[in-house]
Amino acid sequence: MYLKQITIHGFKSFADKANLEFLPPDASGRLPTIGIVGPNGSGKSNVADAVRWVLGEQSVKVVRGKKSEDVIFAGSGKRARSSVAEVELTVVNDDRRIPIDSEEVTVSRRLYRDGESEYLLNHKITRLMDIQMMLAKASFGKEGYSVIGQGQIDAILTASPEERKTFFDEATGVRPLQIKKDQAL
């Protein structure tokens, strides 16, 4: 399993549609090292925020906003504001680690300026809970080792034991059981 592409449109500084494509593993199966570089203010952190957001992040503060509308492109002197923010993340599921019988899995999230939002799995509307469960079963999620945002390493090192436990629970695959327990309660 590897990240194939991220498509961002109307999210934060991405007024125009941006498609980031990532290289597949080499012949030995090793994934290439990928870095996003650019000057301050070019949107590097917005890419990481987009990944966390599409994977279901509910805290606007974590994606560096004050209210949910802050993730939608606000406009500029030359551009009108966007009416929707959309992020689409596509993963190659060749090892079927994600429990779906599909070679590629696409998770999408849309937020409209009126407050309506949608989650999509392979371009079909679904519930956030279903996406979270699917990603948790694959040990791939917004809090796990797969997305480590700006300042998160320091936060993990200075976290309380309970906060650190949450991070490691997701990384080790315990999260699906916790989701089921929370649903049952």
Side-chain angles (χ1 to χ4, degrees), residues 10-12 67-76 79-85 110-117:
F11 183 85
K12 290 187 155 197
K67 54 188 187 295
S68 60
E69 186 178 295
D70 290 345
V71 301
I72 304 173
F73 178 71
S76 69
R79 301 278 315 245
R81 68 185 191 159
S82 295
S83 60
V84 64
R110 292 183 193 134
L111 175 66
Y112 298 93
R113 203 163 281 284
D114 66 5
E116 289 290 316
S117 66

Side-chain angles (χ1 to χ4, degrees), residues 83-103:
S83 60
V84 64
E86 182 173 10
V87 177
E88 188 174 276
L89 184 140
T90 303
V91 175
V92 173
N93 190 33
D94 51 356
D95 58 1
R96 298 300 190 267
R97 217 167 103 192
I98 296 174
I100 291 180
D101 190 29
S102 179
E103 185 73 21

